[in-house]
Structure formats: structure tokens, C-alpha cells
Amino acid sequence: MSELLLDVANLKKYYPIKQGVFNKTKETVRAVDGVSFKVNKGETLGIVGESGCGKSTTGRMIMRLIEPTDGKVIFEGQDILNLSKHEMRKVRKDIQMIFQDPFASLNPRQTVGQIIEEPMIVHKMGDRKKRQARVQELLELVGLSAYHAKRYPHQFSGGQRQRIGIARALAVEPKLIIADEPVSALDVSVQSQVLNLLQDLQKKLNLTYIFIAHDLSVVRHISNRVGVMYLGKMVELADSETLYREPKHPYTQALLSAVPIPDPENKTKRIILSGDVPSPAHPPSGCPFHDRCPVAKAICSEEIPHLRELADGRLVSCHLVD
Amino acid sequence: MSDSILEVSNLRTSFFTDDGEVPAVDGISFSIKEGEILGVVGESGCGKSVTSLSIMGLLPHPQGKIVGGQIMYEGKDISHLKEAEMRKLRGNDLAMIFQEPMTSLNPVFTIGEQLTEAIRLHNHMSKQEQNNRAVELLKLVGLPRATELLKEYPHELSGGMRQRVMIAIAMSCNPKVLIADEPTTALDVTIQAQILDLMLKLNQETHTAIMLITHDLGVVAQVCKRVVVMYGGKIVEEGDVKDIFNHPKHPYTEGLIKSIPDLYSKKDKLYSIKGSVPKPGSIKKGCLFAPRCDYVMDKCKEQVPELLGSGHKSRCFLHQDEA
Ligand SMILES: Nc1ncnc2c1ncn2[C@@H]1O[C@H](COP(=O)(O)OP(=O)(O)OP(=O)(O)O)[C@@H](O)[C@H]1O
Ligand SMILES: Nc1ncnc2c1ncn2[C@@H]1O[C@H](COP(=O)(O)OP(=O)(O)OP(=O)(O)O)[C@@H](O)[C@H]1O
Ligand SMILES: [Mg+2]
Ligand SMILES: [Mg+2]
């Protein structure tokens, strides 16, 4: 049986919106509204969903870059939301992030060597000489060359910058990597290089990934299990084979059918959803998806469905699935 | 080829920067037939947007210049028209929509003001008629609450709604050619599906020819009949969408198709093209794809292949004798 690394339970982030002169809190944005999932050692959990559904907020709360409003984040058996700043530092070494925009996340005035060395300095790892040897090693590990250490980020292409971001995340030997849209800004031909690199590294270093993306094909390729989010909630979570073969939640079905397949012989019938994703400040009553759902019934606007397990082991949150 | 409405031949567009001339579009030729949807695909920086800006006469002044070739619209070269004439053409025959609908709508005017202004440009109508036409156009692009929407500002609309408004403005003049430059790239997939559906519907109903620019091969496969593949400012392959996807000729097209992860079946490892897209002008001789090509031959490093073939064309020495 695989070993549990991370257990996220009922995680929430509410943002108050202040309005008017007296700054009275009138409304809240429910950016993440009770999300739960588990991640095992060595696996990749994909998180998909459309813009604004709360993917990044979820990822950042796990690292406490954003403080959750409520919930539990249990990493290697301890609830890290109760840790002091000092204790949290050690955990930060074990959990690293890779971001979407490799350019914005790299300091343009630092050399690539300095960028990769910095987290090791922060976590007081090794002496200068050891760290620099490690920088060289990391550069080669991600498919760059040792001499690149002296260059600046702007001298690199998008794909190479993402490799630098990956090398920096690996510098402190993390156990869990949260990758937030790591290939979304890359060209197709370079995207596959970075995906392959992430997979190779996972095998070599026994890494665990949470892979956040809006591209369903990319997520399928890299993930063992996939969670689908809608309006701050997880609506379906299953192993990727099951989820893509037979999506159960009407939102997952619509999302999958909307993906344009790069095959002109395969013109799939798209489920065209009406309207837009509602604002997380005014989520609909009942099921958050009911006002766009092609099969909604009366109960869907009345009762909030909860994530429950089906016979095949998947989790789904829909009144109409049995 | 008398049925083509727009014919671009040997178009070359350069930017004149402090670092010298940047050949962004380097001798491309293609045509669009009446009522067809032509896909133009390629990765970032290959010259897709510069091609469309060249056609529309919207290149940034004074750095961007058409330095060669012709753009024939209904038999007349429009590549060097005066701005006033070009503006007339843009208002009536050619329309364009962009990737980011927010930057192309003016934030200080209401949707109604922007839409009626577009209508006024090429029609003589009373205020009331303009309003009616505006409502009609918003309905045409599938926007609900059309009458109220006229009084709202762009920031009150979602990305998908703004893109629909842009399409409504573009369609206000009944254009013969609509150039859509990454119209769905900034949108979520479910909203993308709505917009692509809308564009197909408009194409069928109004018979407007569409040049759909995208980097997404999935979008091309689902929407277009004919495809042009660009790499480094040149067209490397052109043909019927089925031929391109089932029997790609150029190693770049082939690599691109193989690089996409599959939604239906999981591959162990993805194919990947080595290296990255070259900066324009950085490769001085030979085929621009040679440094990344699995099939590279000595000849490829020395000479530039031509775009050859009938129907299904490619710019590759592997296929030169098929022509
Ligand atoms: N500081 C904040 N104050 C108020 N609302 C916020 C704040 N940060 C995020 N939100 C809202 O929370 C929701 C979730 O945002 P989040 O960035 O997690 O979405 P996402 O799924 O990562 O989207 P994307 O795919 O666009 O990156 C959004 O509606 C966003 O507008
Ligand atoms: N104003 C400019 N000055 C100098 N070079 C430019 C300018 N605009 C574009 N270029 C160059 O021209 C080339 C083609 O750019 P273009 O915008 O057409 O690419 P594209 O195919 O539309 O890419 P994308 O998919 O990123 O939109 C690029 O290499 C770009 O750097
Ligand atoms: Mg995000
Ligand atoms: Mg462009």
C-alpha cells in the first residue's frame, strides 16, 4: 500500500470584500470552499478546473503562502497549520513550488547560479563550495549546462527558464512539489520537453507532485489521479484512467467534451454550457453547478451535494449520480 | 484560382529596430477562398500576428513595414494603400478580432456606444435603427439581456462575453473576411467551445471567410478545412486539414502533432522536438528547422527548400521530388 504524504481536509479560504465608506464587511468571496484530498508518496495528483475555481489558492494554502480560513493540512502526519513560523521553515524545505510564468518568478538581476543557490542559503545548507557544486549538478539534472550558471534569466528561452525554476525548486531536496501551471506559458514543442523532464525527475528522486493546470490533456498525461474543481469546490476526484474514460459529474463531462481534439476525423459532439462561471462572491444555492448544468433537477438548487465515494472508488459530488 | 477572395503572395514584413532589420514574415504566400475557414498555426513568434496586421494595414508605425510582396483583395493590391482607403476597407470588407478582448474594447465607453459607433461607420441609419441593429448583433452572437448590455461597460462583462461583443463589432459591417487572431486563447475551454461554435455558425449563416490564427492544433483540427503551418516567419506546410494531421510532410508539423498529450490514451513518454524556436534572423542559411530536425541532411544546412507540391505543399527537401 502506498504511503500517505499529504492529507488536506475541508480547506477554505474566504476573502472579505470591503465596501462603502465604513468598510463594513458585506460579502465574502469563497475562493476555496471546503476542499479535501489525499496525496500519496511518489504519485502525481492533478488539479484541473477553469479560471478562478480556486486551484492556485489551494496550492498556496498548502505551503501557507496564503493562510487558510479553515481546514487542516496534514503533511507527514503533522498539521502544519498549527506550526510556528520557525517550525514552518523546516516544512517549507520539504514543499516547493514551481510557477506558471518562469520569467516573472526569476529575479532578472541575479545570475542563474545565484537564483538556484538562494534557497540553499535560506535553509543554511552546506558551505559555499558545496552549494556551488550542487548548482552545477542541478543544472545538468534539468538538462542545462554548468556554464549557464553565470548567465542571466533574460538570456534564456521560456522552456529553459522553466528548467531554471525547476532546478531552484529541487535545490533543497523537497519531498512534495506543487507545480502551478508549469507548462501553460510554453510552446507545444517545448511543453513536452518540460513534461518529460518532470516525469524523469519524479522517477529519479521519488518526488510527489501536485500538478495544477487547466489543460486537461496535459493533466491526464502526467497525473495518477485527478481532481476537478468548480467554484471553490472539488466536484470529482478519481484515478485519471477512470475519470477520463467515464466522467460522472456533468461538469467533468462538459469540460472534457469541450477540449478540441487534434484529430480532424474525430469531431466529438461538444456539450455547450450556457453562460459563464458564476462569481465566487455569489455562488448559486444548492449545487454550485446547477444553473449551468444540462441535467439539473429541483433538488440541485435546494441542497448542497457532498463529495461521496462510488463503488469504483471515485469521489463525486452530484445528486444525480449513483 | 478565381474564387479566392484574399491572396497573399510572397509577403515580407520586417521590423526596423536598434538591432537592425528583423524579418518577422519572410516571403509567405497563401489564399483564402470565399466563405472558407483557413487555419494558420504555429508557435509563439513565428509571424502569425504580423501576417494579420500586415493584411489589415495595422502594423506599428514606423518600425513595422511591408518590404515585399502583394496582398490582393478582390483582385486589387492593398499592401500599400493610403490609411484613409485602408480604413474604409477595414470598416466594410475586412474585420479583425484579437486575443485579448479587454484591450481592444475601450473601457470608458459603454458596449452600446462602441457597437453603434461601428455600425455608424458604414451605414446611414437613424439613432433608433442603430440601436435596433446593435441589439440584433448582440443576439446574433448569443448574448442574453441585449438591451441592458448596451448600457454596460466592458469591465462589467466576463472574458467570454467581451469576446462575443468584439465579434459583434467585427460582424457589424458584414465583412467578407474576418481575421481572428487567437480569439479563444485567453478563454476557458468551455467558453472557448461556445465561441468556436459561434464562429462556425456565423461562417455558415453569413458566408464570411475566416482566417483563424491559433497555436492550438486541436482548435484547427476541429474548426478549419485548410491549414497553413508557419515556422520562423515562413510557411512550412499547407494543405487540407485531414492531410496535414494524417500525413504531415514537414518534420516540424509531424513533431508538433506528436508532442501533444492525448486526452484519450496515456503515452509513456511524449515525443519532443529538441531545442527551441529560433529568433527571427538568427539562422543565416539553410532550412530554419534544420538544427531541430531528426531527418536533417547536409543539404538542409546549406540551402533553403521551397514550398512545393500541389494541394498539399511542404517546404522540405524530403518531399521536393513529389511536386
Ligand atoms: N486576494 C483576493 N481577494 C479576493 N478574491 C480573491 C483573492 N485572490 C483570489 N481571489 C478570488 O478567488 C478565486 C480563486 O482564485 P485562484 O487564483 O485560486 O483561481 P485559479 O483556479 O488558480 O484560476 P486561474 O486558472 O485563473 O489561475 C477567484 O475568483 C479570485 O478572483
Ligand atoms: N514591434 C515589434 N518590433 C520588433 N519585432 C517585433 C515586433 N512585433 C513582433 N516582432 C517580432 O516578429 C516576430 C513575429 O511576431 P508575431 O507577433 O507575428 O508572432 P506570433 O506568431 O503572432 O506569436 P504569438 O503566438 O506569440 O502571438 C517575433 O519574433 C517578434 O519578436
Ligand atoms: Mg491559478
Ligand atoms: Mg500573435
Side-chain angles (χ1 to χ4, degrees):
Chain A
M1 201 44 213
S2 35
E3 203 180 326
L4 186 66
L5 182 68
L6 178 76
D7 188 351
V8 173
N10 205 20
L11 202 59
K12 290 183 184 164
K13 181 68 196 182
Y14 291 178
Y15 289 105
I17 326 180
K18 299 197 174 77
Q19 286 181 331
V21 229
F22 301 107
N23 258 1
K24 265 191 275 178
T25 303
K26 274 198 184 149
E27 290 185 324
T28 47
V29 175
R30 298 170 176 220
V32 174
D33 197 11
V35 162
S36 306
F37 56 85
K38 294 182 167 70
V39 186
N40 291 324
K41 249 182 205 158
E43 80 163 337
T44 300
L45 174 75
I47 298 183
V48 292
E50 294 177 286
S51 191
C53 69
K55 304 182 295 295
S56 299
T57 308
T58 302
R60 285 160 177 268
M61 281 196 286
I62 293 167
M63 282 198 77
R64 286 181 70 187
L65 294 176
I66 296 175
E67 286 296 336
T69 307
D70 195 13
K72 282 193 166 69
V73 176
I74 298 171
F75 181 73
E76 292 195 310
Q78 66 175 341
D79 188 347
I80 63 172
L81 299 185
N82 296 325
L83 297 183
S84 68
K85 250 201 176 128
H86 179 74
E87 293 167 312
M88 194 57 210
R89 257 179 99 119
K90 214 197 126 293
V91 179
R92 285 253 162 80
K93 184 172 159 300
D94 290 338
I95 310 178
Q96 288 288 309
M97 260 188 115
I98 304 172
F99 299 94
Q100 165 168 1
D101 185 346
F103 202 50
S105 62
L106 303 175
N107 183 343
R109 278 181 287 277
Q110 285 186 321
T111 64
V112 165
Q114 288 168 330
I115 289 170
I116 299 173
E117 189 186 351
E118 189 169 82
M120 295 189 265
I121 299 174
V122 171
H123 290 286
K124 304 196 172 64
M125 294 169 71
D127 55 20
R128 206 179 140 70
K129 223 175 129 195
K130 276 207 183 110
R131 287 195 302 263
Q132 288 189 342
R134 174 100 177 115
V135 167
Q136 315 265 305
E137 198 183 295
L138 285 162
L139 281 170
E140 272 158 28
L141 188 66
V142 299
L144 296 169
S145 307
Y147 71 85
H148 285 133
K150 295 201 187 64
R151 300 211 176 151
Y152 290 88
H154 71 87
Q155 294 170 290
F156 292 86
S157 70
Q160 288 175 318
R161 284 180 208 142
Q162 199 51 289
R163 289 173 194 269
I164 297 166
I166 294 170
R168 178 178 58 180
L170 292 175
V172 293
E173 298 172 18
K175 293 173 181 156
L176 173 66
I177 289 185
I178 301 173
D180 190 356
E181 308 264 7
V183 297
S184 308
L186 303 179
D187 278 322
V188 193
S189 72
V190 177
Q191 166 182 297
S192 61
Q193 295 171 0
V194 173
L195 288 173
N196 286 340
L197 172 66
L198 285 170
Q199 282 184 313
D200 289 346
L201 291 170
Q202 179 166 43
K203 269 188 230 135
K204 228 182 262 175
L205 307 172
N206 193 28
L207 293 167
T208 306
Y209 292 145
I210 293 178
F211 191 99
I212 297 171
H214 62 270
D215 185 322
L216 287 119
S217 314
V218 167
V219 168
R220 147 127 215 190
H221 177 74
I222 197 143
S223 310
N224 304 96
R225 289 187 305 131
V226 175
V228 182
M229 287 184 71
Y230 186 79
L231 216 57
K233 291 195 155 75
M234 196 71 93
V235 297
E236 187 162 4
L237 197 158
D239 70 70
S240 55
E241 200 50 49
T242 313
L243 187 89
Y244 283 79
R245 186 169 24 88
E246 200 195 348
K248 283 268 163 89
H249 196 289
Y251 177 63
T252 316
Q253 290 170 352
L255 198 60
L256 279 171
S257 85
V259 178
I261 305 297
D263 176 2
E265 315 277 359
N266 183 354
K267 299 233 160 107
T268 46
K269 182 94 193 81
R270 283 192 281 273
I271 303 170
I272 304 285
L273 292 177
S274 58
D276 295 301
V277 179
S279 152
H282 313 277
S285 63
C287 171
F289 185 58
H290 87 259
D291 61 341
R292 300 175 77 203
C293 181
V295 294
K297 300 233 159 53
I299 183 177
C300 305
S301 59
E302 290 154 11
E303 274 176 47
I304 298 177
H306 294 284
L307 207 61
R308 63 205 159 83
E309 192 169 339
L310 302 189
D312 60 2
R314 86 171 81 203
L315 300 170
V316 64
S317 150
C318 173
H319 291 303
L320 309 176
V321 171
D322 43 31
Chain B
M1 293 270 275
S2 57
D3 58 349
S4 59
I5 182 157
L6 188 74
E7 205 162 341
V8 172
S9 52
N10 206 20
L11 176 70
R12 292 192 298 118
T13 302
S14 288
F15 289 95
F16 295 87
T17 68
D18 297 342
D19 302 332
E21 183 177 349
V22 178
V25 169
D26 195 11
I28 65 169
S29 306
F30 64 90
S31 62
I32 304 176
K33 297 187 185 65
E34 251 172 75
E36 88 166 335
I37 304 185
L38 173 76
V40 177
V41 285
E43 295 178 294
S44 193
C46 70
K48 304 183 296 295
S49 295
V50 173
T51 301
S52 56
L53 295 175
S54 303
I55 296 172
M56 295 296 290
L58 292 171
L59 287 168
H61 241 31
Q63 322 88 289
K65 255 203 201 95
I66 295 178
V67 293
Q70 289 180 320
I71 302 168
M72 304 295 284
Y73 173 72
E74 290 192 320
K76 183 176 163 205
D77 186 4
I78 60 166
S79 62
H80 289 91
L81 280 190
K82 293 217 176 60
E83 176 52 24
E85 287 175 276
M86 201 63 221
R87 192 174 309 149
K88 222 159 118 199
L89 207 57
R90 278 202 298 269
N92 289 305
D93 298 52
L94 309 177
M96 183 162 176
I97 51 178
F98 300 88
Q99 167 169 353
E100 201 6 276
M102 198 55 199
T103 54
S104 24
L105 285 170
N106 191 330
V108 303
F109 292 109
T110 63
I111 302 302
E113 284 163 338
Q114 302 190 49
L115 198 47
T116 47
E117 176 177 326
I119 294 166
R120 209 167 32 234
L121 269 178
H122 20 263
N123 293 292
H124 300 282
M125 287 184 182
S126 70
K127 266 251 149 60
Q128 188 54 48
E129 283 170 327
Q130 285 171 23
N131 250 323
N132 293 346
R133 174 84 176 126
V135 170
E136 188 185 299
L137 282 164
L138 290 179
K139 286 187 177 153
L140 178 75
V141 298
L143 282 166
R145 309 187 292 116
T147 322
E148 289 111 272
L149 264 183
L150 290 179
K151 299 188 202 81
E152 291 177 11
Y153 289 87
H155 71 89
E156 297 175 72
L157 276 57
S158 70
M161 290 169 82
R162 289 197 287 257
Q163 195 58 292
R164 283 175 194 262
V165 171
M166 282 311 299
I167 296 175
I169 291 175
M171 296 307 290
S172 67
C173 58
N174 298 318
K176 296 206 176 107
V177 181
L178 174 66
I179 300 181
D181 190 351
E182 309 262 9
T184 59
T185 304
L187 305 174
D188 280 319
V189 268
T190 61
I191 309 299
Q192 164 169 285
Q194 295 172 357
I195 299 290
L196 293 178
D197 224 45
L198 168 65
M199 292 183 53
L200 281 170
K201 187 185 120 204
L202 290 177
N203 169 259
Q204 271 153 22
E205 283 173 9
T206 63
H207 223 61
T208 297
I210 299 178
M211 175 171 155
L212 179 64
I213 296 177
T214 177
H215 65 273
D216 188 331
L217 289 164
V219 168
V220 166
Q222 293 295 315
V223 176
C224 306
K225 263 194 76 152
R226 220 153 47 79
V227 185
V228 162
V229 183
M230 288 185 70
Y231 185 80
K234 287 185 156 61
I235 292 175
V236 296
E237 185 154 359
E238 184 195 328
D240 179 83
V241 67
K242 289 188 181 162
D243 291 337
I244 300 258
F245 279 83
N246 297 336
H247 313 285
K249 284 186 175 171
H250 199 284
Y252 173 64
T253 316
E254 184 192 337
L256 214 50
I257 293 170
K258 283 200 288 185
S259 303
I260 318 170
D262 196 324
L263 190 64
Y264 294 122
S265 70
K266 184 162 173 158
K267 302 173 198 160
D268 254 1
K269 207 174 166 80
L270 287 174
Y271 177 81
S272 73
I273 303 176
K274 60 187 184 234
S276 56
V277 178
K279 285 209 184 75
S282 64
I283 295 177
K284 303 277 185 251
K285 62 178 183 179
C287 169
L288 290 179
F289 190 62
R292 306 179 71 191
C293 184
D294 283 346
Y295 311 100
V296 65
M297 304 175 283
D298 287 342
K299 191 172 170 185
C300 309
K301 297 174 192 159
E302 298 299 325
Q303 300 166 40
V304 182
E306 280 178 66
L307 185 69
L308 293 177
S310 54
H312 187 175
K313 300 179 192 169
S314 73
R315 186 186 289 280
C316 177
F317 286 123
L318 293 172
H319 298 279
Q320 300 281 283
D321 26 319
E322 291 167 24

